[in-house]
Amino acid sequence: MPKTTELLRKFLIWKYKHISERQFVYILSILVGLLAGLGTVTLKNLTHYIQLLLEGNIIKDYAGFYFVFPIIGLSLVFIYQKYILKRNISHGITSALHSISRRNGIIKPFKIYAPLIAAPLTVGFGGSVGLQGPAVTVASAIGSNISQLFHINAKTRMLLIGCATAGSLAAMFKAPVAAIIFAVEIFALDLAFASLIPLLLASVSAILTSYLFLGSDSFFGFDLQDTFEIKDLIFYIILGVGTGIASIYFSKMYFYITQFFKRITNPIKKLIIGGIAIGIMLYFIPPLYGEGFDLMNDLLLGNNIRALRQTPFDADLTNIWIVIGLLIGITFFKAIAMTTTFAAGGVGGIFIPTLFMGSTIGNIVAKVINNI
């Protein structure tokens, strides 16, 4: 350790003599972007690997196992946090914002690796939450700790946290511009030209990491067949009102279920109640399993049967109104399943479940309009 400290001291002296502060920030933004992309890729691959292990013939042939998987996953997360980590993992974006507003961007090192284990266990075993929140936790912790390592001032540390966050979003969705806008909006960064370049560098380097490990496939693939016409504006207004109502329902359901579980003081009891509740929902509504990207993509491709999967209702999925009814039910229960996963002790994010609900509502509105 003393030798490492001495090497770092010599490097900082060399850096001070040969590299300007701005150039060094550019270099760090690339490094942060690469590491944030690597963290996001690791989250996705670990979760996918767990799902592949479980989603073989076990789920296909023995639907009752849906009752078991969430409890197993939540139990593993509970054991990991209580006996191995010995601390709780707070939610991603909220945790990063708290560190920025209250701790000058100082984030503890354990948040780099802790979500990489807890989030895949939660989502892979059926927890109905997303991975973007944990990815932001990992990325922001990387940005914070790298800035601390190289003795970066507080203002630049905030920028590097924003770069890391933009990198995680860019790596997950392969959307660098959206990632930069997201980071600027969430962290209220000063969007000057000097800060825009590090954000671009971090986003691009993170995307390169994603392409290297995940290939060129994107989460959402579709061909735009119809152009926008002004006469269709009323339909978009209807969709906007519908999603607005859904967002109110989402918020109220989140706070109601959270308050319900807060009254349960025993964490084991929380885990059992939450795990059984999620298991029941997954048994009757299989698309609620995990993040839900499969359903969103299948709906984009117009494949209703594959999107809804096999349910115990034995519904006629060739009847469009039955499909619409099932999609309404999925939208309604997604908020319940997500909040229950959180309240029972799961680790995940809220961003992708809201994306899931929005995409499902959009598909419902389109199907209704096209069939009346």
Side-chain angles (χ1 to χ4, degrees):
M1 182 65 97
K3 187 176 181 180
T4 304
T5 305
E6 179 63 20
L7 287 173
L8 179 62
R9 187 185 69 82
K10 289 181 179 179
F11 171 78
L12 291 175
I13 293 172
W14 178 86
K15 185 267 295 184
Y16 180 77
K17 292 179 178 179
H18 296 88
I19 303 176
S20 69
E21 193 66 28
R22 178 177 294 184
Q23 290 172 333
F24 191 57
V25 170
Y26 293 165
I27 294 170
L28 289 183
S29 65
I30 294 173
L31 175 62
V32 163
L34 288 170
L35 293 176
L38 186 61
T40 301
V41 168
T42 302
L43 272 172
K44 293 296 298 180
N45 282 343
L46 285 176
T47 305
H48 183 64
Y49 181 68
I50 292 172
Q51 287 178 332
L52 281 178
L53 288 177
L54 299 177
E55 285 190 337
N57 291 329
I58 296 177
I59 288 180
K60 183 180 178 182
D61 297 336
Y62 305 100
F65 274 87
Y66 271 121
F67 288 94
V68 179
F69 292 153
I71 294 179
I72 294 174
L74 291 173
S75 299
L76 292 173
V77 172
F78 174 78
I79 292 169
Y80 174 64
Q81 291 187 102
K82 186 172 178 62
Y83 298 106
I84 300 174
L85 201 61
K86 297 182 179 178
R87 62 186 83 192
N88 290 326
I89 305 170
S90 54
H91 298 308
I93 296 174
T94 306
S95 174
L97 289 173
H98 179 268
S99 298
I100 288 174
S101 61
R102 301 292 184 184
R103 296 169 52 86
N104 285 326
I106 303 297
I107 301 176
K108 295 180 179 179
F110 83 91
K111 291 191 176 181
I112 295 176
Y113 59 85
L116 294 176
I117 298 173
L121 288 174
T122 300
V123 180
F125 278 88
S128 196
V129 292
L131 291 176
Q132 187 57 46
V136 168
T137 300
V138 172
S140 58
I142 289 172
S144 174
N145 283 274
I146 285 179
S147 67
Q148 294 174 61
L149 177 65
F150 293 107
H151 302 281
I152 302 297
N153 61 58
K155 183 177 180 181
T156 308
R157 187 185 305 129
M158 308 298 183
L159 176 60
L160 286 177
I161 291 174
C163 288
T165 302
S168 69
L169 194 73
M172 184 163 286
F173 295 104
K174 293 187 174 70
V177 176
I180 292 171
I181 294 172
F182 178 86
V184 170
E185 181 180 356
I186 293 298
F187 297 111
L189 298 174
D190 182 16
L191 191 58
F193 185 73
S195 61
L196 183 60
I197 293 177
L199 288 167
L200 282 168
L201 291 172
S203 296
V204 172
S205 59
I207 285 180
L208 291 176
T209 306
S210 180
Y211 273 113
L212 179 63
F213 289 98
L214 299 179
S216 59
D217 291 338
S218 58
F219 277 130
F220 303 115
F222 62 95
D223 295 322
L224 190 62
Q225 297 177 349
D226 299 312
T227 58
F228 172 77
E229 297 182 21
I230 194 67
K231 65 183 178 65
D232 296 332
L233 187 61
I234 184 64
F235 300 141
Y236 294 93
I237 294 174
I238 293 171
L239 176 61
V241 172
T243 52
I245 294 171
S247 69
I248 295 172
Y249 160 75
F250 184 91
S251 299
K252 288 188 175 295
M253 188 59 66
Y254 178 87
F255 289 116
Y256 175 79
I257 295 175
T258 301
Q259 289 300 319
F260 170 79
F261 274 89
K262 279 183 178 178
R263 293 196 290 266
I264 304 173
T265 56
N266 188 331
I268 303 296
K269 192 174 180 181
K270 280 185 184 180
L271 189 155
I272 294 173
I273 293 173
I276 292 175
I278 298 166
I280 292 172
M281 284 185 278
L282 293 180
Y283 175 75
F284 288 104
I285 313 173
L288 294 179
Y289 194 103
E291 292 183 283
F293 278 114
D294 289 341
L295 177 134
M296 288 186 272
N297 277 306
D298 289 334
L299 290 178
L300 282 171
L301 295 173
N303 193 335
N304 298 325
I305 295 176
R306 184 176 174 183
L308 295 171
R309 295 197 238 178
Q310 185 176 359
T311 67
F313 300 115
D314 194 27
D316 179 14
L317 297 182
T318 59
N319 187 321
I320 192 63
W321 295 107
I322 292 177
V323 170
I324 291 170
L326 291 173
L327 289 175
I328 291 172
I330 289 171
T331 307
F332 180 85
F333 280 101
K334 182 63 176 182
I336 299 174
M338 183 216 70
T339 309
T340 304
T341 303
F342 280 135
V347 175
I350 196 174
F351 179 75
I352 293 176
T354 59
L355 199 67
F356 178 98
M357 289 182 65
S359 65
T360 309
I361 292 170
N363 199 268
I364 291 168
V365 171
K367 281 179 165 55
V368 170
I369 290 171
N370 288 334
N371 289 278
I372 59 175

